Amino acid sequence: MSEKGLLEKIESRKALVGIIGMGYVGLPLVRTFCGGGFRVLGYDIDPAKVRSLNAGKSYIEHIPSQMIAELVRSGRFRATSRASELRRCDAIIICVPTPLTKTRDPDMTYIIGTAETIRDNLRRGQLVVLESTTYPGTTREVVRPILEKSGLKAGRDFFLAFSPEREDPGRKDYVTETIPKVVGGMGTAARTLATALYGAVIKQVVPVSSCEVAEATKIVENVYRCVNIAMVNELKMLFDRMGIDVWEVIDAAKTKPFGFSAFYPGPGLGGHCIPIDPFYLSWKAREYHMPTRFIELAGEINTAMPHYVIERLARALSDRGKPLKGSRVLVLGLAYKKDIDDIRESPSIELIEILCERGATVDYNDPHVPTTHKQREHDLRLKSIPLTARTLASYDAVLISTDHSAYDYDFIVRHARLVVDTRNATANVRNGRSKIVKA
Ligand SMILES: NC(=O)c1ccc[n+]([C@@H]2O[C@H](COP(=O)([O-])OP(=O)(O)OC[C@H]3O[C@@H](n4cnc5c(N)ncnc54)[C@H](O)[C@@H]3O)[C@@H](O)[C@H]2O)c1
């Protein structure tokens, strides 16, 4: 199929869209493309996810099962783990993980594996778009050569583009359809086609001159957050020594109508993006003999935060005549941020591990995470304990790691003996403030 033929199929919504990776990014995209009138084929190597989706069941809290069930019933969506079905797709969007290896280098195995799968099923006239967050150069240097091993050539036989995902799970004011989409193509035909594809379902598309610019855009967004969070984390430690409340300072500073964006300190960085993506750029920078000092420094400060929090907790216990060793600590919130169920890279997990190492007995409560599941590097094997007046009072300290909206902070402070608050979640609690220590 020619560029013109594919463009017509996209504009008339007759194109079949294949989405690879049915996770936190892939599933909202399914909803967006189906909602925009396209038929979507979801491909995932995890057969349990495929079975669940085809049975109309979601495994992500903020994606309702009912929505998946309706899409399956309407015939607009189906999931598969048969790679050969990708051949039928007119556009293929890649949303697979991009973690770090144990030595904190980019783990490209998912992108490479996916590119090889597409290569084996590639046909003339397909558009392939990479959405996974990665270092500038990935689409051209990693994906393209694998796809071209099929004998087909990018720009002539098939079209290749990069468009970064900007999903922010749990956010209510913006959804996939209303978050502007940056698109870079390998050549103008690829850019035109990818712009048309996303333009059909997303309010604003921002075409840029190359895949590298699009790849760098995403990394810059995440480096910006990572560095600014590190800055306020460092200031939190300084202001604490000076007897100044950093949250009050930030709230005052953000009244300035220009030139200041508020970032908030916390117990450390979490999630699939901010603790990881900047290191994709640091790794690539080595090829150019350039150190990325802001990224390294921010990483250093942010990864030290859980230790700082535990030191503050230990001091607060000691002030009350209790050593940390042998104390019972209840961690509130296991998800890496408020109101979601995602625990990847969550600082809460590190807090729990440090507490256990230091001889404390630890439990957790999280209304969004009833039980822990095995992750790449952790296996806590814990269950969320119920949050009652009795349980709260039975711990030497309650450590607020994630400020879920579902928590009743007045109730927590009323019944806990000591509350260590890493998120300023207890800001509006009036009574029992002497029990609260900010960390
Ligand atoms: N989660 C977020 O909030 C977010 C936001 C912006 C960008 N991103 C980026 O989007 C990408 C995907 O992240 P995610 O959070 O959706 O990950 P995820 O782990 O939730 O989902 C990835 C899915 O890909 C599947 N998969 C892995 N290898 C595969 C293969 N070879 N073929 C087919 N399927 C495969 C997995 O089974 C899983 O279902 C990452 O690069 C991430 O950095 C994530």
Side-chain angles (χ1 to χ4, degrees):
M1 199 196 308
S2 64
E3 177 193 345
K4 195 160 161 272
L6 181 55
L7 195 57
E8 276 169 14
K9 261 189 136 175
I10 290 171
E11 284 170 349
S12 63
R13 313 284 200 275
K14 290 201 176 108
L16 174 64
V17 179
I19 298 179
I20 301 187
M22 295 286 93
Y24 281 86
V25 166
L27 268 189
L29 261 192
V30 167
R31 184 193 53 206
T32 301
F33 276 102
C34 287
F38 288 89
R39 284 170 306 124
V40 176
L41 180 71
Y43 171 76
D44 203 292
I45 44 169
D46 183 344
K49 283 189 177 165
V50 168
R51 267 196 308 277
S52 169
L53 291 173
N54 286 333
K57 287 200 193 93
S58 167
Y59 35 80
I60 294 179
E61 198 185 33
H62 62 277
I63 309 271
S65 289
Q66 194 199 345
M67 189 262 297
I68 300 287
E70 272 167 26
L71 294 180
V72 172
R73 218 177 305 126
S74 71
R76 270 178 293 159
F77 171 62
R78 191 167 59 76
T80 184
S81 39
R82 257 206 311 270
S84 58
E85 292 202 55
L86 291 172
R87 187 171 272 277
R88 293 195 296 114
C89 299
D90 299 293
I92 298 174
I93 300 175
I94 307 169
C95 311
V96 294
T98 43
L100 293 174
T101 64
K102 275 210 163 83
T103 51
R104 302 195 75 70
D105 287 336
D107 178 352
M108 301 303 285
T109 50
Y110 298 91
I111 287 188
I112 291 172
T114 303
E116 288 170 350
T117 303
I118 298 174
R119 174 200 63 201
D120 297 342
N121 298 285
L122 195 65
R123 65 162 168 81
R124 234 170 258 282
Q126 279 179 318
L127 167 67
V128 178
V129 188
L130 178 62
E131 286 212 10
S132 302
T133 308
T134 182
Y135 59 82
T138 305
T139 312
R140 188 181 303 275
E141 296 160 12
V142 179
V143 179
R144 178 185 178 162
I146 296 174
L147 296 186
E148 290 192 337
K149 283 221 174 90
S150 63
L152 300 178
K153 211 171 157 18
R156 188 190 69 195
D157 304 314
F158 69 95
F159 308 97
L160 185 56
F162 182 86
S163 178
E165 184 46 55
R166 285 167 154 173
E167 200 62 28
D168 186 10
R171 182 174 277 282
K172 301 238 166 24
D173 49 353
Y174 286 97
V175 288
T176 315
E177 295 83 335
T178 53
I179 301 171
K181 197 95 172 83
V182 173
V183 172
M186 199 146 288
T188 45
R191 186 174 65 171
T192 305
L193 288 165
T195 302
L197 180 69
Y198 290 111
V201 293
I202 288 171
K203 251 193 175 156
Q204 190 193 348
V205 179
V206 184
V208 294
S209 63
S210 65
C211 292
E212 285 78 1
V213 170
E215 289 161 333
T217 302
K218 172 71 188 183
I219 296 262
V220 164
E221 290 165 12
N222 285 349
V223 169
Y224 173 77
R225 285 189 61 72
C226 173
V227 167
N228 278 287
I229 292 169
M231 184 187 71
V232 289
N233 274 334
E234 187 173 70
L235 293 178
K236 170 178 79 168
M237 296 187 282
L238 170 66
F239 287 159
D240 180 54
R241 284 195 192 183
M242 297 168 76
I244 299 168
D245 183 333
V246 70
W247 284 277
E248 193 182 347
V249 174
I250 295 168
D251 282 346
K254 78 175 186 198
T255 59
K256 185 179 178 187
F258 45 83
F260 183 85
S261 290
F263 286 85
Y264 294 94
L269 287 186
H272 191 328
C273 297
I274 301 171
I276 292 174
D277 304 342
F279 295 101
Y280 269 64
L281 187 60
S282 304
W283 177 85
K284 188 67 178 170
R286 283 187 230 145
E287 199 179 306
Y288 296 86
H289 308 286
M290 275 285 293
T292 47
R293 285 173 292 168
F294 274 101
I295 295 174
E296 300 298 338
L297 179 60
E300 219 174 274
I301 294 171
N302 288 328
T303 53
M305 289 320 294
H307 294 275
Y308 168 80
V309 168
I310 300 303
E311 280 321 312
R312 285 295 280 125
L313 169 68
R315 186 150 39 104
L317 281 168
S318 160
D319 290 346
R320 286 155 180 80
K322 277 238 52 142
L324 178 57
K325 191 178 168 101
S327 285
R328 297 184 73 233
V329 181
L330 176 65
V331 173
L332 294 190
L334 202 63
Y336 76 86
K337 67 171 184 175
K338 72 193 280 183
D339 303 342
I340 62 163
D341 61 353
D342 190 349
I343 63 168
R344 286 178 291 179
E345 311 290 324
S346 174
S348 306
I349 292 173
E350 194 165 359
L351 291 173
I352 291 174
E353 287 179 342
I354 303 172
L355 284 168
C356 290
E357 269 165 38
R358 302 270 300 258
T361 303
V362 193
D363 287 308
Y364 86 93
N365 168 277
D366 192 315
H368 302 276
V369 188
T371 160
T372 62
H373 45 264
K374 194 175 175 343
Q375 294 183 282
R376 256 187 291 270
E377 288 177 27
H378 309 272
D379 193 7
L380 291 178
R381 294 165 190 256
L382 291 175
K383 269 198 171 78
S384 173
I385 63 126
L387 207 57
T388 63
R390 242 180 76 193
T391 49
L392 281 165
S394 70
Y395 290 91
D396 297 299
V398 171
L399 172 56
I400 300 174
S401 183
T402 316
D403 49 344
H404 289 310
S405 313
Y407 284 136
D408 177 345
Y409 293 103
D410 285 300
F411 177 81
I412 291 165
V413 173
R414 192 175 328 130
H415 297 288
R417 293 186 219 165
L418 164 68
V419 176
V420 176
D421 183 359
T422 67
R423 302 277 191 179
N424 201 27
T426 55
N428 297 322
V429 172
R430 290 258 173 87
N431 299 322
R433 291 216 64 88
S434 60
K435 290 195 238 172
I436 302 171
V437 171
K438 293 191 186 179

